Amino acid sequence: MNSNKPTAYNNRLGLKGWVYAGRYTFERYLYLGHRLSGMGLIAYMVLHIIETANRMRGVEAWQGLMALFASWPFKIIEYLLFAAAVFHAMNGVRLLMTELGFFLGKPKEPVYPYSSSVMRHRPLTYIIMALAGLLIILGGSSLFFP
Amino acid sequence: MRETRLWSLHLLVIPIIAILLGAHFALMHYAPIFYGVSVEEARNFETMIERGKSVAQLVLYILLLAAGLYHGLYGMRGILRELPLTPALAKLVDWGILSFGIFIFALGAYVTWWTFSFKIGG
């Protein structure tokens, strides 16, 4: 048997593994969202660093860039960035809690009907995501209607 | 052990990012609510230069730069390394991400230093 061959067991499904939810449903989509928002945020951060270097070209170059950012399309992009950051941070809090074993319940005998730690964790998942949604709405209302 | 250290550092920088990025958002994107000034005023060239002259700002921005880039690029490395790569390609990903991170960090740190040492009217 070739042990280097990619299989579902060694977590090497490649790109398909990113979007296939399997039996984890909601948490799996949060995982996908976490990845997408993370990639978006790091891409933005790199662009942001390059763009802020524009200040070295002087006042006019900087003010021109800021005027561009004050336009509606950029305000929407800025809001999407904020939403991605809030989602990524809140889901990150959930992942940290899972990683550190909080709210997963105590291990117990596997007696039918089985209760998984994912299900025990789910109410917290809903609370954290509701909070993220609330922050995203509040952030939007402040950004668009200051 | 090396991977454990890298992973732990990835988690340890989270509070730094949360606090400093939160402050950055409050200052640059939500200035009317948190500072009582318009966004335009907060992003004005003179205001930005004046703010950048503070040592605290210099240190904190470089810290945010390092923490954000490390967290983000480490995450990116993890995503890329999940793909079925040959060991040589995996090494290339590691070195590519490290070099890119150092380059972007150097650029960001230089811009922050440039702002700090900018002489108004000079």
Side-chain angles (χ1 to χ4, degrees):
Chain A
M1 192 181 133
N2 181 1
S3 60
N4 291 328
K5 192 180 169 203
T7 67
Y9 305 108
N10 62 13
N11 195 25
R12 287 189 178 271
L13 283 170
L15 283 173
K16 189 184 154 202
W18 292 10
V19 287
Y20 172 60
R23 54 193 282 273
Y24 296 100
T25 60
F26 187 53
E27 283 76 10
R28 187 65 184 209
Y29 291 107
L30 292 181
Y31 154 88
L32 182 62
H34 197 76
R35 290 210 145 178
L36 291 175
S37 59
M39 287 194 289
L41 288 168
I42 188 65
Y44 174 80
M45 187 178 179
V46 169
L47 288 176
H48 189 47
I49 291 166
I50 295 168
E51 155 249 309
T52 47
N54 215 37
R55 70 179 66 166
M56 295 192 291
R57 288 174 56 222
V59 186
E60 277 173 27
W62 178 260
Q63 301 293 49
L65 193 68
M66 289 306 113
L68 181 71
F69 290 160
S71 65
W72 271 97
F74 278 92
K75 272 201 165 223
I76 292 168
I77 293 171
E78 193 177 317
Y79 177 61
L80 289 177
L81 171 80
F82 170 77
V86 169
F87 169 78
H88 194 84
M90 296 304 281
N91 192 51
V93 168
R94 182 185 72 83
L95 291 175
L96 262 181
M97 283 182 176
T98 311
E99 181 78 20
L100 301 174
F102 291 110
F103 303 101
L104 291 175
K106 285 184 181 167
K108 55 184 180 184
E109 281 287 309
V111 180
Y112 190 82
Y114 309 117
S115 78
S116 71
S117 58
V118 173
M119 293 309 286
R120 285 196 292 269
H121 196 72
R122 195 158 282 173
L124 180 77
T125 305
Y126 287 146
I127 291 170
I128 288 179
M129 284 304 118
L131 208 58
L134 189 68
L135 281 172
I136 290 169
I137 292 167
L138 281 176
S141 62
S142 312
L143 196 72
F144 295 114
F145 312 104
Chain B
M1 195 63 197
R2 180 173 162 264
E3 286 302 319
T4 309
R5 278 201 205 110
L6 294 177
W7 167 250
S8 306
L9 187 60
H10 173 246
L11 297 187
L12 285 171
V13 295
I14 292 172
I16 299 174
I17 300 172
I19 294 167
L20 297 182
L21 188 64
H24 177 73
F25 258 113
L27 185 67
M28 301 304 287
H29 303 264
Y30 292 96
I33 299 164
F34 293 97
Y35 296 93
V37 295
S38 69
V39 171
E40 289 72 26
E41 204 176 321
R43 295 178 185 180
N44 183 284
F45 188 81
E46 283 77 26
T47 318
M48 181 259 305
I49 291 288
E50 206 167 306
R51 232 183 5 243
K53 298 211 144 302
S54 129
V55 178
Q57 162 120 354
L58 173 78
V59 173
L60 293 177
Y61 261 99
I62 289 179
L63 192 63
L64 175 61
L65 191 64
L69 279 175
Y70 178 77
H71 186 83
L73 292 177
Y74 178 82
M76 200 67 215
R77 171 189 180 250
I79 290 173
L80 290 174
R81 297 248 345 217
E82 265 183 28
L83 295 171
L85 304 174
T86 60
L89 213 52
K91 208 162 198 167
L92 188 71
V93 164
D94 283 0
W95 282 103
I97 285 188
L98 180 66
S99 317
F100 182 71
I102 290 172
F103 171 73
I104 291 293
F105 174 77
L107 175 67
Y110 177 70
V111 173
T112 314
W113 176 256
W114 179 90
T115 313
F116 178 72
S117 53
F118 185 86
K119 287 183 178 59
I120 298 167

